[in-house]
Amino acid sequence: IEPQHPRSDVSYVTVDRRMAMRDVVRYLYRCGARRIALLGTDSTIYSDFLRFRGWADAVQELGIGNGVRGAFNTNDDLEQCFHALLDSLPEYDAVACTNDYIALKLLNKLKALGLSVPRDMMVTGFGGIALGEWTDPPLTTVTINGVEIGRQAFFTWLYLMRNETVRSLNVSVECRIIPRATTPPCDLPAPPVPTLERVELLDAHRTLLDPGVLDIARLERLFSA
């Protein structure tokens, strides 16, 4: 996690979600998208706020949005969030989802509408869950390197033990985009996927209260066990 109000005596290692979502938008732009929606932000989750900021920064930098319109918030009602997006779907050619569970549910809804991914709509997730590789089509996502987070946590502890005058350290680890078939080919090469990378924890996220997403999460636990 990334604390919203970090204490000066607490060290932590996290991932740069803001930069990762900015990179997703720029990746979609290189794939040809010019109207990119953000789906699934929860105002009570600080990591979602960081993803929103990354999306807003990127669409403004690229001149394809004002950083406000096109962001669809879940808050207490995920279905209402989906309805809002689907009602205005012709306005967009790509959807960046704040997590893979929402992205998988979106793929099901697009399929039910008879829309082809990525021809009619590009879709990206966030978190790198195991199910994303087995969807139809396989999900383009952002992977979180838990192994590197663990390595940096150890090195952070080691540095603090050797430097008593240092009160705390905050370390940010980069994420990586894993291009799959929910986005068309573009100029970003697909990096190798480390076998020990793990899904981002969503236990505190209200997304998992949605029955459809809960079913996906249960299936993910089965696949990743």
Side-chain angles (χ1 to χ4, degrees):
I1 64 170
E2 184 160 356
Q4 186 171 358
H5 304 292
R7 289 168 44 183
S8 61
D9 61 338
V10 175
S11 298
Y12 65 88
V13 181
T14 187
V15 295
D16 193 339
R17 293 174 177 86
R18 181 172 180 170
M19 183 59 68
M21 186 57 76
R22 179 178 175 271
D23 290 343
V24 166
V25 173
R26 298 183 71 85
Y27 164 75
L28 288 168
Y29 186 88
R30 290 196 296 273
C31 291
R34 294 298 181 268
R35 295 162 292 141
I36 303 169
L38 177 68
L39 178 66
T41 51
D42 185 329
S43 61
T44 68
I45 305 295
Y46 184 58
S47 58
D48 273 3
F49 170 75
L50 295 174
R51 294 183 182 94
F52 166 77
R53 287 308 323 161
W55 168 83
D57 291 344
V59 296
Q60 292 178 87
E61 290 169 2
L62 295 169
I64 57 174
N66 62 6
V68 177
R69 192 171 185 275
F72 295 86
N73 302 317
T74 61
N75 291 342
D76 293 323
D77 194 336
L78 182 58
E79 281 300 321
Q80 183 178 353
C81 174
F82 274 102
H83 287 317
L85 171 66
L86 296 177
D87 286 345
S88 57
L89 205 58
E91 300 179 25
Y92 303 100
D93 53 15
V95 180
C97 299
T98 56
N99 63 66
D100 286 347
Y101 297 102
I102 288 177
L104 297 189
K105 185 165 184 173
L106 176 61
L107 290 180
N108 288 334
K109 289 185 176 293
L110 294 176
K111 185 175 182 179
L113 293 172
L115 298 176
S116 174
V117 177
R119 185 187 64 198
D120 300 322
M121 184 68 60
M122 304 179 205
V123 177
T124 61
F126 201 113
I129 69 173
L131 280 176
E133 191 174 355
W134 301 99
T135 54
D136 182 22
L139 178 66
T140 295
T141 188
V142 174
T143 187
I144 296 172
N145 193 336
V147 173
E148 184 60 25
I149 291 174
R151 280 169 40 84
Q152 294 304 323
F154 172 77
F155 292 137
T156 298
W157 169 81
L158 190 62
Y159 184 87
L160 290 170
M161 293 300 100
R162 293 175 175 175
N163 297 271
E164 295 181 358
T165 59
V166 177
R167 187 173 178 86
S168 64
L169 287 176
N170 301 330
V171 179
S172 179
V173 176
E174 67 176 2
C175 302
R176 293 189 301 165
I177 297 172
I178 303 298
R180 296 193 182 116
T182 57
T183 51
C186 69
D187 62 351
L188 182 67
V193 184
T195 57
L196 293 179
E197 289 184 352
R198 304 303 294 172
V199 59
E200 178 179 13
L201 297 177
L202 291 174
D203 291 340
H205 203 294
R206 289 187 293 181
T207 294
L208 291 182
L209 298 178
D210 177 80
V213 171
L214 184 59
D215 288 341
I216 295 173
R218 287 167 174 161
L219 189 57
E220 166 62 16
R221 288 193 179 100
L222 177 63
F223 267 72
S224 59

